[in-house]
Amino acid sequence: MRTLSARAETWPLREAFTIARDSRLDVDVVVATISEADVRGRGECRPYARYGESVESVLAAIDSARGPIAEGISRDELLELLPRGAARNAVDCALWDLEAKHAGQRAWALAGIAAPQPVATAYTLSLDQPQAMGRAAATHRSRPLLKIKLGPEGSIERVRAVRAGAPEARLIIDANEAWTIAELARCLPEFAALGVEMIEQPLPAGEDAALAAVDRLVPIGADESCHHAGDVERLRELYDVLNIKLDKTGGLTAAFALRTAALAAGRSIMIGSMLATSLAMAPATLLTAQARYVDLDGPLLLAADRQPGLRYADGCVYPPEAALWG
């Protein structure tokens, strides 16, 4: 019989991490473990207040699945049992891990895809004063892709400082819903001139219909607006890039469906993540083969990561070892 358990963990960050809506010194995650005989499968999620989640609510949602998991429900049945979000992600990824261990195969073989390869990942620069962001960019100027966190004001000055600090790096921007349509229109020509490749979620999710009239001097990506495969058609005329995160889709199973729908609609995809450990990043590496952007840098921002964790080298993230996941 399968047993399901969950626990909360807190992981300190290397330094304060700030985005438009909050700042933090550590991150809370929840780890789900499914045990069967002597085999254990694990999955990690990040409860996110933006989506009405807390550690307590996620633990309660996982606890509600104990009975069905003991009865042996499948990953497809889990999609009907729990709603999209962090709790379902942790349980779904734990099921993938458990099934891979039982089969003696890697998770990507179970998914019927080729083994993931090392891919370049973005490295995120926390929101700060322009001079500080410029110094941070200079420190990480050798990385191939920098992601710049921005707030409601001072965006042009911050991006100019980052570009000066890292003149050769590719740049993408994440406003975390902090802008108005007027601010976006003001920034677009400047960002195009600075070589910015993509602007992620400039407007609040409920106000993104205004993007239909925007001249795309820089491609625009959806994060908070994009959660599941059913969103793709609605977003077709609004966004050029769709950011797939397991904590939003509610697991790897649903993330595969979103990726298929996005690519079929001709949208570029980004594989992102919440701030968490390598256990949370590992399943997302199975989605990276056709991604225009990969943003799986969470472990690089922690004071310490799991052991074993994912390997990061030369700006790339490598697929997980079996001892970590899958």
Side-chain angles (χ1 to χ4, degrees):
M1 185 176 71
R2 293 177 174 178
T3 61
L4 170 64
S5 62
R7 68 179 186 276
E9 300 175 348
T10 299
W11 291 78
L13 302 177
R14 290 183 182 276
E15 56 190 20
F17 184 78
T18 303
I19 65 173
R21 65 173 65 97
D22 65 29
S23 183
R24 61 181 55 251
L25 292 170
D26 54 37
V27 60
D28 295 320
V29 304
V30 171
V31 178
T33 302
I34 302 176
S35 302
E36 188 173 26
D38 295 328
V39 180
R40 294 189 314 152
R42 298 184 303 162
E44 178 183 316
C45 69
R46 160 86 185 282
Y48 203 51
R50 167 65 178 79
Y51 302 128
E53 297 172 336
S54 66
V55 168
E56 293 74 20
S57 71
V58 167
L59 287 170
I62 293 173
D63 186 66
S64 74
R66 287 177 189 263
I69 289 294
E71 294 168 3
I73 66 165
S74 67
R75 286 183 284 103
D76 287 337
E77 290 170 326
L78 180 67
L79 297 178
E80 302 299 323
L81 178 68
L82 293 179
R84 290 186 303 274
R88 193 175 77 187
N89 175 34
V91 178
D92 178 74
C93 290
L95 281 171
W96 276 98
D97 192 29
L98 183 73
E99 291 167 21
K101 288 180 167 63
H102 271 310
Q105 299 182 29
R106 298 309 306 270
W108 48 81
L110 294 181
I113 61 174
Q117 300 299 307
V119 290
T121 179
Y123 183 85
T124 305
L125 301 181
S126 176
L127 175 63
D128 206 331
Q129 294 302 312
Q131 298 87 346
M133 295 184 74
R135 290 193 295 270
T139 298
H140 298 283
R141 64 192 301 162
S142 63
R143 296 185 182 274
L145 180 64
L146 296 178
K147 178 174 177 176
I148 309 167
K149 290 290 189 179
L150 296 174
E153 300 175 343
S155 297
I156 293 173
E157 294 76 12
R158 287 178 169 88
V159 177
R160 283 175 178 164
V162 169
R163 173 53 80 203
E168 303 299 324
R170 298 166 58 208
L171 302 181
I172 57 177
I173 284 169
D174 188 2
N176 287 112
E177 304 181 280
W179 295 354
T180 63
I181 193 68
E183 178 68 6
L184 174 61
R186 185 180 76 89
C187 290
L188 273 169
E190 292 283 348
F191 290 165
L194 289 165
V196 171
E197 294 189 14
M198 191 265 288
I199 301 171
E200 186 179 347
Q201 199 68 45
L203 306 183
E207 301 174 14
D208 54 7
L211 294 173
V214 170
D215 186 5
R216 303 307 171 89
L217 298 174
V218 178
I220 298 176
D223 182 4
E224 286 87 346
S225 290
C226 181
H227 292 255
H228 59 95
D231 287 330
V232 173
E233 183 59 32
R234 177 179 63 84
L235 302 177
R236 184 189 291 266
E237 303 303 321
L238 304 180
Y239 293 98
D240 308 291
V241 182
L242 303 182
N243 190 347
I244 302 173
K245 293 180 177 177
L246 303 191
D247 277 324
K248 292 188 304 176
T249 64
L252 181 61
T253 304
F256 274 125
L258 174 53
R259 186 183 71 163
T260 297
L263 293 174
R267 300 299 85 179
S268 296
I269 59 171
M270 177 178 185
I271 306 304
S273 64
M274 305 301 186
L275 185 57
T277 81
S278 282
L279 181 57
M281 310 295 128
T285 64
L286 274 64
L287 301 165
T288 59
Q290 295 171 283
R292 183 172 179 179
Y293 301 106
V294 172
D295 182 20
L296 299 177
D297 66 337
L300 299 177
L301 306 176
L302 300 177
D305 189 20
R306 298 187 188 278
Q307 296 299 323
L310 290 174
R311 179 188 174 198
Y312 290 87
D314 300 322
C316 291
V317 57
Y318 285 69
E321 299 176 10
L324 172 62
W325 181 87

